[in-house]
Amino acid sequence: TVFGDANLTISRGYKNARLQYRHSTRQTEWFMWKTLCPMAEFVTENSIQFQAPDGKQRKTQPIGGETLGKWKVATLVSEKLTKVHSEICQKNRKTISRDWLNHMNDYFLMTLWLDDGSVKNGRQGVISCNSTPLEQAKILAEYISTVWKVKCRAEIVMSKATNSNQQPSQIVFVDLENLQKLFSFLIRN
C-alpha cells in the first residue's frame, strides 16, 4: 500500500517511520480492511480520521444519501516501519527498485490494483502511480511484464496538471487479455 497514495516518512524529530494514507468514503471497505487487518498493529482508535471532501470529490454528487469525504490514517511510529523505510526509501522518499520488487508476491499486485487500479474504456487496466517518476514506473512495468508475464507499459498521464515539475505516471495493461491475466492473479487472494 506504500506505493499507492501512501506516505512513509521519518518526520523531523522522530527516530522511526510512520505510514499515512487516505481513501474516499466510496472505498471504505478497502480502507478499513487494510487498516484494521494487515496494519492493525500500527493503529489505535485515534489513528483514523474522517475529513471533509476535497478536490474533485467536493464537486461530486452523493449517491443515495451517501456521505462523501476522506478516511485518513496516520499510524504509530514504529521500528518495523523504519525497517521498511530503509529498504524502499532514499532521502526519505519512496523509490521503486528491482531489488525489493523481486521479493513481492501476488498479494502485492492485489494491493496495487485495489489502491490505485481502474478499468479504462472497459478494455484496458490502469494503475495510477501518482508521484512516482516515469523511470521508476518503467521498473515496475518491466517487473510485472517479466515476472508475472502480464504485458504493460509505463507512461506519463497527460491530462493531469501538477504543481511540481514531475508529471504523474501510470502503468497501462496493453489489452483486455493481459488485464484478465492480471485479474487471475488477484482473485487467488
Side-chain angles (χ1 to χ4, degrees), residues 7 10 18 21 26 64 74 80 88 109 165 183 187 189:
N7 185 9
I10 299 174
R18 170 189 322 269
Y21 52 88
R26 289 185 173 168
K80 288 181 180 179
I88 66 170
L109 289 178
N165 295 333
F183 287 164
I187 60 173
N189 287 302

Side-chain angles (χ1 to χ4, degrees), residues 27-79:
Q27 297 172 304
T28 296
E29 282 185 55
W30 171 239
F31 173 87
M32 293 299 179
W33 182 86
K34 77 178 184 179
T35 302
L36 300 176
C37 290
M39 300 302 296
E41 71 180 283
F42 306 110
V43 297
T44 67
E45 61 188 55
N46 297 324
S47 299
I48 301 172
Q49 301 172 359
F50 177 80
Q51 298 176 331
D54 59 10
K56 287 183 184 178
Q57 193 185 49
R58 194 177 336 179
K59 300 172 187 168
T60 302
Q61 277 300 109
I63 300 170
E66 74 180 327
T67 301
L68 292 175
K70 303 282 184 173
W71 290 111
K72 178 186 178 188
V73 69
T75 69
L76 302 170
V77 293
S78 165
E79 287 182 20

Side-chain angles (χ1 to χ4, degrees), residues 41-130:
E41 71 180 283
F42 306 110
V43 297
T44 67
E45 61 188 55
N46 297 324
S47 299
I48 301 172
Q49 301 172 359
F50 177 80
Q51 298 176 331
D54 59 10
K56 287 183 184 178
Q57 193 185 49
R58 194 177 336 179
K59 300 172 187 168
T60 302
Q61 277 300 109
I63 300 170
E66 74 180 327
T67 301
L68 292 175
K70 303 282 184 173
W71 290 111
K72 178 186 178 188
V73 69
T75 69
L76 302 170
V77 293
S78 165
E79 287 182 20
K80 288 181 180 179
L81 292 175
T82 304
K83 287 179 183 177
V84 173
H85 182 276
S86 69
E87 291 293 324
I88 66 170
C89 294
Q90 294 177 4
K91 296 181 182 176
N92 213 21
R93 197 171 166 91
K94 21 182 202 188
T95 305
I96 295 177
S97 161
R98 184 60 189 258
D99 295 358
W100 61 260
L101 279 175
N102 287 331
H103 300 282
M104 299 300 109
N105 56 25
D106 50 2
Y107 190 84
F108 170 75
L109 289 178
M110 180 192 74
T111 304
L112 278 177
W113 180 260
L114 290 174
D115 271 354
D116 287 309
S118 62
V119 175
K120 179 179 168 183
N121 301 326
R123 38 180 211 283
Q124 270 185 305
V126 175
I127 296 176
S128 297
C129 295
N130 304 312

Side-chain angles (χ1 to χ4, degrees), residues 126-144:
V126 175
I127 296 176
S128 297
C129 295
N130 304 312
S131 61
T132 302
L134 181 61
E135 299 77 37
Q136 291 178 37
K138 285 180 180 179
I139 293 169
L140 178 56
E142 181 182 313
Y143 163 79
I144 293 170

